[in-house]
Amino acid sequence: MGPTTRYRAKRNAGLPDRAWRAISGSGPPTEPFALRSQPSRLDDATAHMALGLALRIGESMMAVGASAADVDATVLRVAATYGLTGCQVDITYTSLTVSYDRDDALPLTLMRIVRPRGMDYTRLQGVIDLARAIKADRLDIRDAHQRLDAVVSAPYPYRRRVHALGWSGMAGSVAFLLGGGWLVALVAALTTATIEQMIRVLGRRGLPPFFQQAAGAALATGVAVLLVAWDVDVRSSLVVAAGIVVLLAGLSFVGSAEDAIGGFSVTAAGRAFEVVTLTAGIVVGIAGVLDLTRRAGVPLAVVDPSPVTVPFPVTLGAAAGIAGFWALASRARLRGVGVATVAGALAWTTSSVAGDLGAGPAVASATAAVVLGFCEESLTGRLRIPPLLVAVCGIVPLLPGLAIYRGLFEIVVEADPVSGLNALVGAAAIGLGLAAGVVLGRYLGRPLGVERDRFDRGARRRATTSD
């Protein structure tokens, strides 16, 4: 074998090695996993108090409607402030578990059961402000516990009458939005005030929320039936639609969608199932009364809204009122109520413009939700308002209350299941579009929002896969 032949053989033998080096990776995984725990710098008593504080803050946020991603980031941030790095957080819809794994001692794990209290934006903002103060001022652990006690035990910001006014004002605004007059708005407001009081009484007696929703929807439909039976010149279907919107507004459409898209599948499944169950309660209540009415021979009719004949300034003011009154009913501070009012007007304007350009109801509603989510993500931190307030309150004017009633009416009274199912599917499409649009808008607005720390970025990377 000559020198040239030996050189070629040696070069060809090295080809596999060079090819492997050309395609092989050169660094560690982008997202580290299964890392070894670090030694603890705190004694057991201090670590227990700090972990308990982080757990209580997370529980308080979940109880008043915060998203799982916000809870996850806040718990980790508070724990790390006191030296508890590398904690693990497990969130379900009804429980919150935090574990601190230490290399030189046994792991410390705490768990709390979460009991939802309904939307309370004032209390949520108080807990968020406390978490920020802990990070900025490094509060003493005992002082932080005492401040949290003061936040969660503080009285409501408004009297019961003001809270009821939020429900009533919202229903009256829905009536104006759908083309009703002053009499329809007054009847809708009084009916909703009665529904709110009835739900409160039933809740104190321990009746499950499913039956509370069914009772509220049945009451709204029953009032409409009585108006027809007594020959009162009122568009009774708008009264029912206003009641449905009020009952739908309290459901966590946006929260369940955000948790699902954000990678918190268990929490999202729990919230989504609750939304489906409580919506089914509304359907049962309406369908039951409509069936009894049909058997009694009372003539009913669903009157379509007439947005063309209603001046745009009236519908704009009504949409703003719906969002503002719902923020008031959700116990938001006055600044939050003002921001929510503007959000409602913005959502209605965006939806109207999209509709004029040829978009269908679902697409127009989703477009408005994207705009709301974008504004919320970019402005919430600067305005010092609770997360989701802008989006949750802003989309309320777009909820398909009349579409749900029309679908059930056609199925139960007119015996037209095809048209009824089409209306219900359209209503479901609007609801899904609103929820998904808000999440997409928040994603698009992140570059313009306040700077996120590593805990926020980590919580929002759960739904992504990096390489």
Side-chain angles (χ1 to χ4, degrees), residues 43-123:
D43 59 87
D44 285 350
T46 304
H48 188 277
M49 289 185 62
L51 197 65
L53 174 64
L55 182 64
R56 290 184 60 208
I57 288 177
E59 177 200 5
S60 302
M61 293 178 64
M62 286 189 66
V64 293
S67 67
D70 290 333
V71 173
D72 183 89
T74 302
V75 170
L76 293 176
R77 185 183 303 112
V78 171
T81 301
Y82 294 108
L84 305 181
T85 57
C87 289
Q88 302 292 322
V89 180
D90 182 46
I91 302 175
T92 69
Y93 185 52
T94 57
S95 66
L96 176 63
T97 304
V98 184
S99 180
Y100 174 47
D101 189 13
R102 303 169 287 182
D103 185 60
D104 54 351
L106 293 176
L108 180 61
T109 303
L110 301 178
M111 189 268 286
R112 277 181 176 260
I113 300 299
V114 179
R115 296 176 175 83
R117 307 287 183 179
M119 290 305 304
D120 189 339
Y121 289 118
T122 294
R123 215 172 298 274

Side-chain angles (χ1 to χ4, degrees), residues 325-367:
F325 278 120
W326 180 244
L328 184 67
S330 300
R331 302 182 176 92
R333 296 172 182 172
L334 293 180
R335 175 187 295 181
V337 173
V339 173
T341 302
V342 175
L346 176 63
W348 185 256
T349 301
T350 305
S351 177
S352 300
V353 171
D356 292 339
L357 294 177
V363 176
S365 299
T367 304

Side-chain angles (χ1 to χ4, degrees), residues 28-406:
T30 305
E31 289 294 330
F33 59 94
L35 297 178
R36 182 177 179 180
S37 57
Q38 301 297 317
S40 175
R41 296 176 294 173
L42 303 176
D43 59 87
D44 285 350
T46 304
H48 188 277
M49 289 185 62
L51 197 65
L53 174 64
L55 182 64
R56 290 184 60 208
I57 288 177
E59 177 200 5
S60 302
M61 293 178 64
M62 286 189 66
V64 293
S67 67
D70 290 333
V71 173
D72 183 89
T74 302
V75 170
L76 293 176
R77 185 183 303 112
V78 171
T81 301
Y82 294 108
L84 305 181
T85 57
C87 289
Q88 302 292 322
V89 180
D90 182 46
I91 302 175
T92 69
Y93 185 52
T94 57
S95 66
L96 176 63
T97 304
V98 184
S99 180
Y100 174 47
D101 189 13
R102 303 169 287 182
D103 185 60
D104 54 351
L106 293 176
L108 180 61
T109 303
L110 301 178
M111 189 268 286
R112 277 181 176 260
I113 300 299
V114 179
R115 296 176 175 83
R117 307 287 183 179
M119 290 305 304
D120 189 339
Y121 289 118
T122 294
R123 215 172 298 274
L124 176 59
Q125 186 63 49
V127 176
I128 293 174
D129 290 342
L130 174 59
R132 289 172 178 165
I134 289 174
K135 180 183 178 182
D137 304 332
R138 296 190 177 275
L139 300 177
D140 179 75
I141 298 178
R142 290 182 175 81
D143 292 341
H145 271 288
Q146 293 176 356
R147 290 182 59 172
L148 182 58
D149 292 337
V151 171
V152 298
S153 62
Y156 289 125
Y158 309 113
R159 295 181 180 271
R160 276 279 304 115
R161 295 177 180 176
V162 178
H163 176 70
L165 175 64
W167 282 62
S168 301
M170 177 183 171
S173 299
V174 172
F176 281 121
L177 183 70
L178 298 178
W182 286 101
L183 181 58
V184 176
L186 178 61
V187 173
L190 294 177
T191 302
T192 303
T194 306
I195 292 174
E196 189 269 342
Q197 184 62 33
M198 180 185 65
I199 290 178
R200 177 176 295 273
V201 172
L202 295 178
R204 289 177 179 176
R205 294 181 177 275
L207 188 69
F210 173 86
F211 297 105
Q212 296 179 28
Q213 294 285 95
L219 178 58
T221 311
V223 170
V225 171
L226 291 177
L227 292 175
V228 173
W230 295 340
D231 292 328
V232 180
D233 187 16
V234 170
R235 298 168 68 182
S236 59
S237 58
L238 302 187
V239 177
V240 183
I244 295 174
V245 170
V246 172
L247 294 174
L248 288 175
L251 306 185
S252 54
F253 294 100
V254 176
S256 59
E258 182 176 14
D259 290 344
I261 297 175
F264 297 88
S265 303
V266 176
T267 308
R271 284 181 168 169
F273 188 74
E274 182 190 53
V275 169
V276 172
T277 302
L278 297 184
T279 304
I282 298 174
V283 170
V284 169
I286 296 173
V289 175
L290 288 179
D291 183 64
L292 293 176
T293 304
R294 179 182 61 83
R295 296 176 184 274
V298 178
L300 289 177
V302 177
V303 181
D304 291 328
S306 49
V308 178
T309 61
V310 181
F312 179 76
V314 175
T315 58
L316 182 66
I322 292 171
F325 278 120
W326 180 244
L328 184 67
S330 300
R331 302 182 176 92
R333 296 172 182 172
L334 293 180
R335 175 187 295 181
V337 173
V339 173
T341 302
V342 175
L346 176 63
W348 185 256
T349 301
T350 305
S351 177
S352 300
V353 171
D356 292 339
L357 294 177
V363 176
S365 299
T367 304
V370 171
V371 174
L372 286 178
F374 181 87
C375 294
E376 177 186 88
E377 187 69 17
S378 57
L379 298 177
T380 294
R382 297 182 176 89
L383 297 178
R384 292 287 187 177
I385 56 177
L388 292 181
L389 183 145
V390 172
V392 171
C393 295
I395 66 172
V396 173
L398 305 177
L399 292 176
L402 188 60
I404 293 176
Y405 179 60
R406 184 188 300 113

